[in-house]
Amino acid sequence: MAAADSSKQADRLAKRIGAFARRHGGSAEGQIAYVGQMGFRLSLVAGDGTWGDLMAPSEETARTAAERAGVTLKESFDGEMAEQMRTGPYEWSRMAGIQVGGPANR
């Protein structure tokens, strides 16, 4: 990928990250993980506990976007970061709830 294309992609991602952070407490932390041919996932946890993720074609693009958006990157998605996440009924029914008595086990 050309450097100019990568920079434009990082700018677009940075705008999305910045908008997410502003809507949810004004700040966010992130962690980048390689997910194979799909690229790199930038997982975000905002100041109010809302979380989400974005995909980037390269680690460099993800890091540049996070830096431009003012997001602090962590080396791993550790317990401290997970503790900040706020989950709701959707997450429980779609993920953890399946193992601990969610709709699929009724």
Side-chain angles (χ1 to χ4, degrees):
M1 176 182 310
D5 290 342
S6 178
S7 183
K8 286 179 184 179
Q9 280 191 310
D11 282 342
R12 286 193 298 272
L13 287 172
K15 287 178 185 175
R16 291 178 63 194
I17 295 165
F20 171 79
R22 284 188 300 279
R23 280 192 314 270
H24 299 289
S27 65
E29 290 186 329
Q31 190 269 333
I32 298 170
Y34 177 64
V35 292
Q37 290 182 342
M38 292 179 66
F40 290 79
R41 173 179 286 131
L42 173 56
S43 298
L44 300 165
V45 180
D48 69 357
T50 302
W51 55 281
D53 58 11
L54 298 166
M55 293 298 295
S58 70
E59 183 175 9
E60 178 185 353
T61 300
R63 285 191 183 281
T64 300
E67 181 180 296
R68 290 178 184 173
V71 168
T72 301
L73 290 176
K74 301 189 98 179
E75 289 299 314
S76 65
F77 202 104
D78 59 14
E80 184 180 307
M81 194 168 168
E83 187 175 281
Q84 295 173 15
M85 292 174 63
R86 186 185 63 207
T87 57
Y90 172 80
E91 289 83 10
W92 280 101
S93 68
R94 298 291 298 162
M95 294 183 285
I98 293 169
Q99 287 87 27
V100 295
N105 291 333
R106 291 187 183 161

